Amino acid sequence: MTAHKPFPIIGVGSSAGGIEAMRGFFAGLPRPFGAAVVVITHLSPDRESLLPEVLARFTAMPMEVAADGSAVQPDHVYVMPPGVVFGIRQGRLTLTQLEPGLREPKPIDVFLTALALDQEERAVAVILSGGDSDGAIGVKAIKEHGGLTLAQAPGENGPETPDMPISALRTGYVDYHASAEDMGALIMTHSVGRGQPEPNSDDDPNGVEVAAGVLAEIHSILRRQVGHDFSGYKPTTFRRRLARRITVGNHGGPDDYLERLRTDAAEAAALFRDLLIGVTKFFRDTEAFDALSRLVIPKLFEGRATEETVRVWVPACSTGEEVYSIAILLMEHMVTLPAPPRVQIFATDIDERSLTVARIGRYPRAYLDTISPERVARHFVVEGESLVIAKAVRDLCTFAPHSVLRDPPFSRLDLVSCRNLLIYLGLEAQERMLPTLHYALRPNGYLFIGMAENVTRFEDLFATVDKWHRIFQATNTVLPARLPVMNGDAWSNVPPGARTKPQGALAHANLRHIVDAEVLAKFAPPHAVVTRVGEAVHYSARIDTVLGVAPGQPTHELAALVAKGLRLELRTALREAIETNTVVARTGLEIDLPNGLRQPLALTVSPMAPRPGVEPLFLVVFTETAPAADREASATQAEIGRDETVRRLERELTLTRERLQAIVEEYETALEEVKSSNEELYSVNEEMQSGNEELEASKEEVQSINEELHTVNGELSSKIQALDRLTAEQAALFASTEITSVFLDTELRIRTITDAAARIFGIQIRDRGRLLSNFAAPFSLSWLSEDARAVMSDGSMMDRLLDGTDGHRYRARLTPSRIDGEMSGVIVSFVRVADNEG
């Protein structure tokens, strides 16, 4: 076989239905490409896939169904077959047959993780259209090993199902957010760019040769911009990450990139984050977690009774690796205690999709290669090529959406693990966040942060437990943290001209509103607006004709409130509308009215127009298809159309079987959602309790501040009176002396003048702040600037004799003026000299 020079291997992840996205991707590949493409999709193990034949129409490259042991070659396309666990080792594809009836739920994560471990910098991840969050962990693995990552961007030709690209983007590890058609050119540019810089002296093919002076200045810029010194960073790793930023930014080389760093603080921050990217696995920074286990974990349980709770918070938990690492440490210590207390770990993040990955707790086996087999056996369940967190560990963790900067913090916590979040925040956000974390901790609670982070600006709030591994302990300093302001001006984004309307327009708008309401109330069919989970958020007039309250716990779910004959149809129609985002209609329905009549109905579920920042809503309309009839008339009509009814019942039976299967799947999903809802309720309860405590503290502080303000106000009033008296005395003194003096600031602008000087120069009160040289005088002022600078520089007094245009001579004296020890300007005094003076 002909040996090939190293080439990129591209893992393309998409759902089987993302054909248009893959068409665009292959259409945009340059020719020749010089890279291999491996396509990974979600396939049913029970059906034969026609995907290779379909993709072969989109590209001229040879198309193969992947086979076990096949050597990957450039300019070839390999398609994952159904019913296997797909991987790569030493440049050869690996296929492990699944047992009948089983399927790997995260095939993209499994393959991309294996690709990252096998190819490192030559690995490329492409995430196209698809549901779920598959690919998020794989993208992280590719980026952490130096590879390239791309996700499909929304737009006219955007992904049909955007969940997978959005989940990848939310990880923060995507290099390019582009359309499918543009990805090939970006990959080619990146691959060619890696060959542009000259190889360094260590022969690292992925590094770049950098002159010592350029490297020193880059270190200096990073130290100045982000406060960290990378001069001691491993040289080969630093050059490799530097080469990556040069290539991604399409720079000409180290010198060109240095010019960018000098003027672009955002690029310095991006380089800083790339330098800090490590392998985000379980127990990242093993020595730090060992120190946490040795120095902190035992102390959390000391003196705790069985009914007490050890409370831990992990903000910005992402996909859950850090959360479960701490949960495993706590679990391992709990089994050594005869009667351990409860443990509750709050894991929060602003990204719902990352939380979904964390809640499921499923990770590729290769992703956990640093965990010992003993720990894997105790704390994980093996499912094919994936490992799932054991239930005992999962039950310790509560996942909930939460912003550490916007939402109220949790309180009475024993440990906060906030690793590698501060480095992504600006100085102002850090100064808000660290006091908030101190507020959230109990006295002597512990803070665990990343290796590149510190609390040096808040040493009064945190004592050092282990400086090297960044473990700190909250002090008893009472310095209340302010909760983020969560209210604002609702009109802040409205142009001033649009905030009011002329009276005529307002009257017409009110009339139109009244007419619309009258028509809706009398003639519109009953309708309701529901969310994705079926919860009603709006009812129309006459909706009571189709509602029938079911016994049991009260609910806002519309499907549980409608009349009995509509519930099953409404559930299935709503589910179909959510999944397909299309209008769904059901006909031939009937309900019993209170007066004994039967009302024929049709049901329509329609997606409403999306609005930014608002969850999707659906309009449910109940339309009367015929007048209501009594039961006897309905029975006669049914007798006449018995054959038609039998046929309709047969069709309904077939539909019912399909719906029953859908209900079973929906029930399984609902169980997970109920568990998630319970966890979020726990989180909300904690936040409310924290808010109440903050309000109590704020009330006492406001009272204390009010008393201080009264005292300060009294002192200020007395000082103002003294200052007024002093100003009046000073004005009287200047007026009585008839001294011609001008007070100038350091820029020689007028600050204060005496009455005599005002008469000589023609200066008025409004002229303060202007240059003295701008005014007419009986003598020249060309010397003033030079002499004044000399006086302010030396701090000495200077005299000068002047010949006036009026025939007299004048003596000018320049005296330096100091305020609080600092030079504030110069005082210029003018005195007319008698004729007999020299």
Side-chain angles (χ1 to χ4, degrees):
M1 181 180 297
T2 304
H4 297 281
K5 65 179 183 180
F7 56 90
I9 299 179
I10 306 166
V12 179
S14 175
S15 66
I19 298 299
E20 289 302 319
M22 286 189 274
R23 181 201 302 272
F25 173 78
F26 282 104
L29 295 183
R31 299 178 185 176
F33 190 35
V37 179
V38 182
V39 179
I40 318 101
T41 59
H42 298 147
L43 298 172
S44 171
D46 304 322
R47 297 180 182 177
E48 182 179 354
S49 174
L50 299 178
L51 187 60
E53 290 82 356
V54 175
L55 297 183
R57 304 170 191 164
F58 305 156
T59 177
M61 289 191 293
M63 185 78 57
E64 299 178 20
V65 177
D68 190 30
S70 296
V72 178
Q73 300 181 45
D75 291 311
H76 281 64
V77 180
Y78 303 88
V79 182
M80 170 187 172
V84 299
V85 175
F86 200 25
I88 186 171
R89 186 181 301 113
Q90 297 179 355
R92 294 180 176 272
L93 300 175
T94 62
L95 278 68
T96 304
Q97 204 69 31
L98 290 169
E99 295 181 9
L102 295 180
R103 62 180 297 178
E104 172 55 54
K106 302 285 185 181
I108 301 173
D109 279 336
V110 170
F111 181 83
L112 292 182
T113 302
L115 181 64
L117 296 172
D118 188 63
Q119 297 295 312
E120 297 188 338
E121 288 87 0
R122 291 191 298 275
V124 179
V126 171
I127 304 299
L128 301 177
S129 173
D132 199 9
S133 56
D134 195 11
I137 292 176
V139 162
K140 292 173 67 176
I142 295 284
K143 183 68 178 286
E144 289 159 356
H145 285 80
L148 181 69
T149 55
L150 304 94
Q152 187 178 5
E156 183 177 353
N157 298 320
E160 296 94 331
T161 307
D163 289 352
M164 274 173 40
I166 291 176
S167 295
L169 286 167
R170 294 279 176 84
T171 65
Y173 287 86
V174 172
D175 292 312
Y176 294 111
H177 186 206
S179 65
E181 292 81 359
D182 295 335
M183 290 181 173
L186 292 171
I187 296 171
M188 176 66 78
T189 301
H190 182 83
S191 302
V192 172
R194 283 191 176 275
Q196 289 177 352
E198 297 178 3
N200 61 49
S201 56
D202 297 325
D203 292 327
D204 181 2
N206 299 298
V208 61
E209 179 66 23
V210 187
V214 173
L215 192 63
E217 186 170 352
I218 292 175
H219 289 157
S220 175
I221 291 174
L222 289 172
R223 186 164 53 249
R224 185 171 62 253
Q225 293 282 357
V226 301
H228 289 276
D229 187 1
F230 286 90
S231 58
Y233 204 76
K234 187 177 178 182
T236 55
T237 303
F238 188 92
R239 292 191 183 99
R240 185 177 302 175
R241 298 290 167 85
L242 182 61
R244 173 186 174 78
R245 292 306 309 169
I246 292 173
T247 304
V248 169
N250 199 23
H251 297 94
D255 293 335
D256 185 29
Y257 185 68
L258 176 59
E259 289 298 323
R260 170 82 178 275
L261 285 179
R262 287 170 178 161
T263 58
D264 191 346
E267 179 58 31
L271 175 60
F272 172 61
R273 288 193 291 269
D274 265 22
L275 289 168
L276 292 179
I277 288 176
V279 180
T280 308
K281 295 185 178 181
F282 285 75
F283 302 100
R284 178 181 178 181
D285 300 327
T286 305
E287 293 181 359
F289 276 94
D290 289 341
L292 183 73
S293 177
R294 184 178 67 258
L295 301 175
V296 175
I297 298 297
K299 295 185 180 297
L300 300 182
F301 293 84
E302 285 182 0
R304 294 292 181 89
T306 307
E307 63 272 14
E308 294 184 87
T309 303
V310 174
R311 295 161 58 84
V312 179
W313 182 22
V314 183
C317 67
S318 186
T319 48
E321 295 90 342
E322 181 182 345
V323 180
Y324 291 128
S325 298
I326 292 176
I328 288 172
L329 293 182
L330 293 168
M331 178 67 72
E332 290 176 348
H333 187 76
M334 289 170 65
V335 298
T336 66
L337 304 176
R342 288 183 62 241
V343 170
Q344 193 168 26
I345 303 175
F346 299 100
T348 63
D349 201 284
I350 60 175
D351 182 15
E352 283 278 7
R353 292 175 173 83
S354 293
L355 288 174
T356 300
V357 175
R359 285 191 183 105
I360 295 172
R362 178 187 296 272
Y363 303 91
R365 184 191 292 268
Y367 205 63
L368 283 74
D369 57 356
T370 58
I371 301 181
S372 66
E374 294 78 11
R375 269 185 171 157
V376 171
R378 286 198 305 268
H379 305 299
F380 294 84
V381 177
V382 179
E383 291 185 7
E385 283 299 307
S386 297
L387 297 177
V388 182
I389 292 292
K391 186 177 185 299
V393 177
R394 173 64 181 83
D395 288 345
L396 299 180
C397 307
T398 299
F399 295 91
H402 179 278
S403 170
V404 70
L405 293 176
R406 187 188 67 243
D407 300 325
F410 296 86
S411 61
R412 305 189 316 280
L413 298 167
D414 301 286
L415 169 65
V416 173
S417 179
C418 185
R419 293 173 57 77
N420 302 316
L421 172 61
L422 296 176
I423 60 175
Y424 291 94
L425 302 179
L427 182 61
E428 180 182 354
Q430 290 185 29
E431 291 180 348
R432 288 166 46 205
M433 179 176 170
L434 285 169
T436 301
L437 296 182
H438 178 271
Y439 169 85
L441 288 166
R442 297 180 189 267
N444 301 319
Y446 294 89
L447 175 66
F448 186 34
I449 59 178
M451 302 296 286
E453 299 165 330
N454 217 319
V455 295
T456 51
R457 291 190 302 278
F458 297 94
E459 292 178 342
D460 56 331
L461 300 183
F462 298 95
T464 302
V465 176
D466 187 332
K467 182 177 181 179
W468 178 253
H469 296 114
R470 300 297 192 266
I471 300 175
F472 303 89
Q473 190 170 25
T475 64
N476 291 326
T477 302
V478 180
L479 195 145
R482 286 278 158 254
L483 292 178
V485 178
M486 300 187 330
N487 59 347
D489 181 9
W491 293 89
S492 59
N493 294 323
V494 179
R499 298 188 184 187
T500 59
K501 296 181 179 179
Q503 186 62 33
L506 181 62
H508 181 268
N510 288 337
L511 175 61
R512 185 178 62 182
H513 177 74
I514 294 172
V515 172
D516 289 346
E518 187 78 9
V519 171
L520 286 173
K522 291 185 177 180
F523 303 105
H527 57 273
V529 178
V530 298
T531 64
R532 287 177 63 92
V533 296
E535 182 175 317
V537 295
H538 171 73
Y539 291 132
S540 73
R542 302 196 300 126
I543 190 67
D544 56 322
T545 59
V546 296
L547 295 185
V549 179
Q553 185 175 359
T555 178
H556 290 286
E557 184 183 6
L558 183 63
L561 295 175
V562 296
K564 188 174 181 180
L566 302 176
R567 293 173 187 172
L568 181 60
E569 296 289 349
L570 176 57
R571 289 183 190 274
T572 56
L574 181 59
R575 180 183 180 89
E576 184 178 342
I578 292 172
E579 292 178 348
T580 62
N581 200 38
T582 57
V583 177
V584 177
R586 295 283 188 270
T587 58
L589 309 178
E590 289 184 342
I591 60 171
D592 292 327
L593 299 180
N595 56 8
L597 301 179
R598 296 182 64 83
Q599 176 65 64
L601 291 176
L603 168 67
T604 305
V605 181
S606 173
M608 297 184 66
R611 291 183 295 166
V614 179
E615 66 174 323
L617 298 175
F618 297 83
L619 178 65
V620 181
V621 181
F622 305 91
T623 307
E624 298 176 357
T625 57
D630 58 33
R631 296 180 184 273
E632 293 182 0
S634 297
T636 303
Q637 184 67 25
E639 187 70 25
I640 296 172
R642 181 180 301 276
D643 292 340
E644 182 181 351
T645 302
V646 170
R647 287 192 296 271
R648 182 174 62 83
L649 288 175
E650 288 175 348
R651 290 194 301 270
E652 290 181 358
L653 180 60
T654 302
L655 288 173
T656 302
R657 289 172 179 167
E658 296 175 357
R659 293 169 191 154
L660 182 60
Q661 178 63 31
I663 289 172
V664 171
E665 296 175 358
E666 183 180 353
Y667 173 72
E668 294 174 351
T669 304
L671 288 179
E672 276 301 315
E673 292 176 353
V674 167
K675 188 171 184 179
S676 172
S677 299
N678 287 337
E679 292 173 349
E680 292 182 8
L681 286 174
Y682 273 120
S683 171
V684 171
N685 184 47
E686 291 295 329
E687 293 176 9
M688 291 180 64
Q689 189 169 354
S690 172
N692 287 336
E693 295 173 357
E694 175 70 13
L695 287 174
E696 288 293 332
S698 299
K699 180 181 177 181
E700 297 174 0
E701 289 171 19
V702 169
Q703 186 173 354
S704 174
I705 292 172
N706 191 35
E707 295 172 356
E708 293 177 8
L709 286 175
H710 278 296
T711 304
V712 171
N713 188 45
E715 295 177 358
L716 185 60
S717 297
S718 62
K719 288 183 178 179
I720 291 174
Q721 292 175 1
L723 185 61
D724 290 341
R725 186 167 54 253
L726 180 61
T727 302
E729 293 173 353
Q730 185 184 39
L733 177 63
F734 286 158
S736 65
T737 58
E738 285 295 322
I739 296 175
T740 304
S741 296
V742 182
F743 293 76
L744 306 177
D745 62 14
T746 55
E747 296 180 355
L748 304 185
R749 296 182 183 277
I750 301 170
R751 288 172 47 200
T752 307
I753 58 174
T754 63
D755 293 343
R759 289 193 296 272
I760 289 178
F761 291 97
I763 299 174
Q764 301 180 9
I765 294 177
R766 65 174 178 270
D767 293 324
R768 285 193 174 94
R770 298 179 60 187
L771 294 173
L772 181 62
S773 57
N774 291 342
F775 295 88
F779 39 76
S780 172
L781 293 176
S782 60
W783 51 270
L784 179 60
S785 175
E786 181 179 353
D787 287 6
R789 303 294 180 194
V791 167
M792 288 188 286
S793 174
D794 300 340
S796 60
M797 187 171 59
M798 181 181 293
D799 287 347
R800 176 184 287 269
L801 286 175
L802 307 173
D803 292 324
T805 57
D806 56 359
H808 297 288
R809 303 189 73 190
Y810 294 86
R811 182 184 303 278
R813 172 166 293 177
L814 282 72
T815 306
S817 173
R818 287 186 173 85
I819 299 177
D820 296 332
E822 293 187 1
M823 186 65 64
S824 63
V826 63
I827 304 171
V828 186
S829 301
F830 301 93
V831 179
R832 192 168 73 178
V833 180
D835 294 338
N836 57 355
E837 291 188 36

